[in-house]
Amino acid sequence: MTDSLTLEEITTGEAPWPDVHCFGLTADGSPIHPMARGRSRIPDHAQPMLWKEGSR
């Protein structure tokens, strides 16, 4: 049996977990997928931002 970590444990935990970055957020606060197209497309000038689950 393998111990697996949830996204919540990684994003709310302390070091040594790396910071999670994204290029933008959806309406519900989830990170936009880097390959999103159409309405959810990431603008060319978008800069990576720190993402923490539950923060907006």
Side-chain angles (χ1 to χ4, degrees), residues 24-42:
L25 302 175
T26 63
D28 71 353
S30 301
I32 295 175
H33 192 282
M35 294 179 69
R37 299 185 61 154
R39 186 173 65 169
S40 299
R41 183 182 174 283
I42 298 171

Side-chain angles (χ1 to χ4, degrees), residues 8-56:
E8 181 180 352
E9 290 172 318
I10 293 171
T11 58
T12 59
E14 296 297 320
W17 306 117
D19 291 333
V20 178
H21 289 79
C22 64
F23 287 105
L25 302 175
T26 63
D28 71 353
S30 301
I32 295 175
H33 192 282
M35 294 179 69
R37 299 185 61 154
R39 186 173 65 169
S40 299
R41 183 182 174 283
I42 298 171
D44 293 335
H45 65 277
Q47 296 292 317
M49 58 188 261
L50 183 63
W51 176 74
K52 291 275 190 183
E53 189 173 31
S55 64
R56 291 184 189 205

